[in-house]
Amino acid sequence: MGKPLIECVPNFSEGRRPEVIEAIVAPFKNRPGVYLFDYRADEDHNRLVVSLVGHPAEIQESLLEAAKVARDHIDMNTHQGAHPRIGAVDVVPFTPIANITMEECVELARSFGKRYVEETGIPVYYYEDAALIPERKRLEVVRKGQYEVLKDEARTVPARRPDVGEAALHPTAGGTVIGARKFLVAFNVNLDTDNLDVAKEIAKHVRSSSGGFCHVKGIGVALEERGLVQVSMNLVDYEKNALYRVLETIRMEAKRYGVSVVETEVYGMVPAGAVLDSAAYYLQIAGFDPQQIIELRLLQMMGEAAQ
Amino acid sequence: MGKPLIECVPNFSEGRRPEVIEAIVAPFKNRPGVYLFDYRADEDHNRLVVSLVGHPAEIQESLLEAAKVARDHIDMNTHQGAHPRIGAVDVVPFTPIANITMEECVELARSFGKRYVEETGIPVYYYEDAALIPERKRLEVVRKGQYEVLKDEARTVPARRPDVGEAALHPTAGGTVIGARKFLVAFNVNLDTDNLDVAKEIAKHVRSSSGGFCHVKGIGVALEERGLVQVSMNLVDYEKNALYRVLETIRMEAKRYGVSVVETEVYGMVPAGAVLDSAAYYLQIAGFDPQQIIELRLLQMMGEAAQ
C-alpha cells in the first residue's frame, strides 16, 4: 500500500490583491509532498480557491503557513465580496484520493482543526462528514448570515458557538470551516434538442432532491448558442452513483422524447476510479484491478519508495 | 511535460538457478528511477522475464549491470530450455509509456545497443521498430535456428551478421536482440457458447493475418471447464485498434450466431490511455484530456519535480 493521498481545496477571502494572493499560495509551491494543481482568484467574489493534492502531513504544514499569511493580511471587518464567507481562511475540505478512507479523512480534519486553533488562534467549525453537530454537515448552515452575523452570534447564541476554540470569532480573521467530503465530479450531458423542458424533466429523474439517485445534484440548462440543452450535474459520490449508470439512465429517459445524447463533459479534475469503473462496465472486464494500470501502479510504487 | 517513461521487459536465459536469477534482478531493485513491477522465472523455458517501468537513463544503467551478471553466469553452449533464444540476455524491448515518442524509443534502443556492445562484448541485433534490416523487424527471423545455428551463421552468412559488434556471437553469452515496440495489450473476450468454431470464426474476422484489424493477433480457444469459448487476442497497437472497437466488432459478429459476450479479460498490465480511450467512447466524453485524471496529473507533476 502506498502513501495516503488527499485532495484539499482551501478557500481564502482574498481575490483582489495580487501580492497577498501570491503570499498565501507561496507555502504550497515547491514543497515535497504537496502538489499545487491550480489556484484561481475571483475579483467579484474577492476569493481565492486553491487546488492541492498530496500527502496529509505535508499538506497540513503548508495549510498552517498559508493560514497565518491570510490571517495577518485579511481583515474580515472591511472585506467585501459576492461569495458567502465567515473568515479569511473560509473553508478547508479534505477529500480522500488513494490509500486513505473517508473515516481517516474525518479524523484528519478534526485533529487538524485542533492544531489549527492552537497555532492560528482562529476558531473552527467542522462540516460535511467531519461535522460534530448534524446540522453543521451543510456548509450553508455554518455560514448562515456570514461573518457579519456570526461574529456576534458566535458569542451570544450557543448553537452557533465554534466546535473548537473560544466562543468568539478571531477579531480580524473570523472563523474557519474545516471538514471531510467525497470527491465531487462535475458531469454534464448534452441532448440534441432545444427544448429546455426535456433537460429539466430528465434532471428531475436523476437528482436526489426529486427522488432520483441519492448522490446526484442536477439541473436542466439551455445551451442557446448551440441549440442544445444540458443536464448539468454534480456527482457527490461517484462510487455509489457511477457515471455510466447516470448516463445510461439519461439515455433511457431521453428516448421517451426521441432525443439522444450528443456528447458529455467531465469538467475539471476527476479521480481515475470514476472513469475506470465505467470503462470496466462497458468493456465488461471481469475482475479488473486498477493496479493493472501502469501509471497507477507506478504512483503506488513511488509512494512506497518515498516512505 | 514530465520526464519520459518507458517500459522494458528484458528476457534472460536463466529460469532454474535461484541465486543467478536473484543476482540478475538485483540491479533493478531499490534504484531511483527504476520500478521493478515483476519478474518471473520459468523452469521449463529456463528463462527469466523481468518487467520494468522507469526513466530511460536509469533503466539503461540497470540493464548494463544485469547483462554483465547474466553474461558471466550463463553459458549458452550448455543452456537448454523450451523457449527459443540466442543469448544469455536474449531480448531487450523498449516501449514508450509517457512523455516519449516511438521514434525516441527507437533512438534509445539503437544508442543503447552501441553502448551495450562496448560494455558487455555481446553483439546486438535490432528488431521491431528499431530494425535496420526490414526482415529483422520480426523476432522469429532474428532468432531462426536459435543459438546453436546462429553461432556459426553469424560468422559465415553475411545476412545473419549482427547489426553491432563483431561478425561472431559472444563465446558464452551469444547475442542480444534489442528493439523498440509498442505496448502489447492482452485482451480476451469470452462468449456464451461451447462451440469453438464460433470463437475461431470471429477471431478470423478481427485479426490482421486473415484480413481483420491491422494490429490485432487472435485465436479461438475453448474454456472447457466453464463451457465457454474465448477470442484470445494481443492488441499490438491499442491506439490504432482500440479495445472498444475490437470488442464492439466481436459483439456484432457474435450476434450472427445468437451468441453474446459473457465477460472480457484484460490480462496483465495496461497503459491508462488504452482503457481511458474506451471510457471516453462509451461515455461520449467530448474533449477528454487524460491530464484531468488526478493520478495522471500527479505523476506528471512528480516527473517535473524530479527534473
Side-chain angles (χ1 to χ4, degrees):
Chain A
M1 176 139 159
K3 279 180 108 171
L5 209 58
I6 57 169
E7 189 207 32
C8 183
V9 184
N11 285 220
F12 301 90
S13 293
E14 178 57 62
R16 295 175 187 167
R17 292 174 295 170
E19 70 285 4
V20 177
I21 291 166
E22 288 305 319
I24 293 171
V25 169
F28 305 125
K29 290 183 173 172
N30 299 316
R31 187 177 202 123
V34 175
Y35 298 90
L36 176 59
F37 273 23
D38 188 34
Y39 61 103
R40 285 178 201 210
D42 184 296
E43 289 199 10
D44 293 335
H45 288 181
N46 199 4
R47 192 175 181 86
L48 169 66
V49 179
V50 179
S51 280
L52 306 171
V53 171
H55 304 308
E58 291 83 350
I59 284 203
Q60 289 180 78
E61 294 307 316
S62 64
L63 282 169
L64 286 168
E65 283 183 35
K68 287 170 194 167
V69 174
R71 176 196 65 192
D72 296 344
H73 289 84
I74 299 168
D75 185 350
M76 292 308 294
N77 300 295
T78 58
H79 180 273
Q80 294 197 313
H83 196 287
R85 77 284 178 272
I86 64 161
V89 185
D90 194 49
V91 193
V92 180
F94 295 103
T95 296
I97 298 293
N99 307 319
I100 185 166
T101 63
M102 176 53 84
E103 290 66 36
E104 289 166 330
C105 264
V106 166
E107 270 185 49
L108 173 67
R110 291 192 186 146
S111 66
F112 177 71
K114 283 179 199 146
R115 199 176 149 206
Y116 181 88
V117 173
E118 283 166 21
E119 296 201 17
T120 67
I122 304 169
V124 163
Y125 296 85
Y126 294 121
Y127 85 124
E128 288 274 0
D129 287 32
L132 294 172
I133 297 166
E135 293 71 33
R136 292 188 181 169
K137 272 187 186 295
R138 294 174 56 211
L139 186 56
E140 55 269 39
V141 169
V142 179
R143 271 200 312 223
K144 194 178 167 197
Q146 300 191 49
Y147 173 73
E148 288 71 15
V149 168
L150 191 60
K151 71 177 172 181
D152 295 327
E153 293 192 349
R155 297 170 192 271
T156 57
V157 181
R160 303 219 67 192
R161 200 197 143 119
D163 287 305
V164 196
E166 302 287 306
L169 297 190
H170 185 280
T172 57
T176 297
V177 196
I178 295 176
R181 61 165 170 76
K182 296 212 173 176
F183 194 91
L184 189 149
V185 176
F187 186 47
N188 301 326
V189 177
N190 297 346
L191 303 172
D192 66 343
T193 174
D194 58 2
N195 185 347
L196 182 56
D197 289 341
V198 170
K200 285 185 170 175
E201 189 66 19
I202 293 175
K204 259 170 54 182
H205 295 310
V206 294
R207 73 181 170 220
S208 61
S209 66
S210 40
F213 291 109
C214 283
H215 305 282
V216 174
K217 297 179 181 184
I219 54 170
V221 176
L223 304 180
E224 284 175 14
E225 286 188 12
R226 300 185 60 188
L228 302 174
V229 297
Q230 177 179 86
V231 182
S232 176
M233 293 171 288
N234 278 326
L235 311 186
V236 299
D237 187 340
Y238 67 82
E239 288 176 314
K240 288 195 176 135
N241 296 166
L243 273 74
Y244 73 84
R245 199 174 304 126
V246 174
L247 174 60
E248 290 301 320
T249 304
I250 292 176
R251 280 184 176 145
M252 179 266 289
E253 292 292 334
K255 273 188 199 164
R256 176 175 207 153
Y257 310 100
V259 164
S260 60
V261 170
V262 178
E263 66 187 20
T264 71
E265 299 167 2
V266 172
Y267 187 80
M269 302 303 293
V270 66
V275 179
L276 292 178
D277 183 37
S278 287
Y281 168 77
Y282 287 114
L283 291 173
Q284 282 186 264
I285 309 175
F288 184 69
D289 178 356
Q291 289 296 303
Q292 288 179 253
I293 302 281
I294 289 176
E295 291 89 340
L296 299 185
R297 176 84 184 277
L298 194 61
L299 202 59
Q300 195 86 351
M301 291 184 83
M302 283 178 165
E304 282 170 350
Q307 258 175 337
Chain B
M1 177 141 158
K3 279 180 110 172
L5 209 58
I6 57 169
E7 188 208 31
C8 183
V9 184
N11 285 220
F12 301 89
S13 292
E14 177 58 64
R16 294 174 187 168
R17 293 174 294 170
E19 70 285 4
V20 177
I21 291 165
E22 288 305 317
I24 292 172
V25 169
F28 305 126
K29 289 183 174 171
N30 300 315
R31 185 176 204 125
V34 175
Y35 297 90
L36 175 59
F37 274 23
D38 188 34
Y39 61 103
R40 285 178 201 210
D42 186 294
E43 289 198 12
D44 293 334
H45 287 180
N46 199 4
R47 193 175 180 86
L48 169 67
V49 179
V50 179
S51 281
L52 306 170
V53 171
H55 305 307
E58 290 83 352
I59 285 204
Q60 289 181 77
E61 294 307 317
S62 63
L63 282 170
L64 287 168
E65 282 183 35
K68 287 170 195 165
V69 174
R71 176 196 64 192
D72 296 343
H73 289 84
I74 299 169
D75 184 350
M76 293 308 294
N77 300 294
T78 58
H79 179 273
Q80 293 197 312
H83 196 286
R85 76 286 177 272
I86 64 162
V89 185
D90 193 47
V91 192
V92 181
F94 295 104
T95 296
I97 297 294
N99 308 319
I100 185 167
T101 63
M102 177 52 85
E103 291 65 37
E104 290 166 329
C105 264
V106 167
E107 270 184 50
L108 172 68
R110 290 191 185 148
S111 65
F112 177 71
K114 283 179 199 147
R115 199 176 149 205
Y116 181 88
V117 173
E118 282 165 23
E119 296 201 16
T120 66
I122 303 169
V124 163
Y125 295 85
Y126 293 121
Y127 84 123
E128 287 275 358
D129 286 33
L132 294 173
I133 297 166
E135 293 72 33
R136 291 187 181 171
K137 273 188 184 297
R138 295 173 58 211
L139 186 56
E140 56 268 39
V141 170
V142 179
R143 270 199 312 222
K144 194 178 168 198
Q146 300 190 50
Y147 173 73
E148 287 72 13
V149 169
L150 191 60
K151 71 176 171 181
D152 295 326
E153 292 193 349
R155 296 169 193 272
T156 57
V157 181
R160 303 218 68 192
R161 201 198 142 120
D163 286 306
V164 196
E166 302 287 305
L169 297 189
H170 185 281
T172 56
T176 297
V177 197
I178 295 176
R181 61 165 171 75
K182 297 212 170 175
F183 194 91
L184 190 149
V185 176
F187 186 47
N188 301 325
V189 177
N190 296 346
L191 303 171
D192 66 344
T193 175
D194 58 2
N195 185 346
L196 181 56
D197 290 339
V198 169
K200 285 186 170 174
E201 189 66 19
I202 292 175
K204 260 170 54 182
H205 295 312
V206 294
R207 73 182 170 219
S208 61
S209 65
S210 42
F213 291 109
C214 283
H215 305 281
V216 174
K217 297 178 181 184
I219 53 171
V221 176
L223 304 179
E224 285 174 15
E225 286 189 11
R226 300 185 61 188
L228 302 174
V229 297
Q230 177 179 87
V231 182
S232 176
M233 293 171 288
N234 278 326
L235 311 186
V236 298
D237 187 339
Y238 67 82
E239 288 177 313
K240 288 195 177 134
N241 296 167
L243 274 74
Y244 73 84
R245 199 175 303 128
V246 174
L247 174 60
E248 289 302 320
T249 303
I250 292 174
R251 279 183 176 146
M252 180 266 291
E253 291 293 333
K255 273 187 198 163
R256 178 173 204 154
Y257 311 100
V259 164
S260 61
V261 171
V262 178
E263 66 188 18
T264 71
E265 300 167 3
V266 172
Y267 187 80
M269 302 303 293
V270 66
V275 179
L276 293 177
D277 182 37
S278 287
Y281 168 77
Y282 287 113
L283 290 172
Q284 284 186 262
I285 309 175
F288 184 70
D289 178 355
Q291 289 296 303
Q292 288 180 256
I293 302 282
I294 289 176
E295 290 89 340
L296 298 185
R297 177 83 185 279
L298 193 61
L299 202 59
Q300 196 86 352
M301 291 183 83
M302 283 178 165
E304 282 170 350
Q307 259 176 336

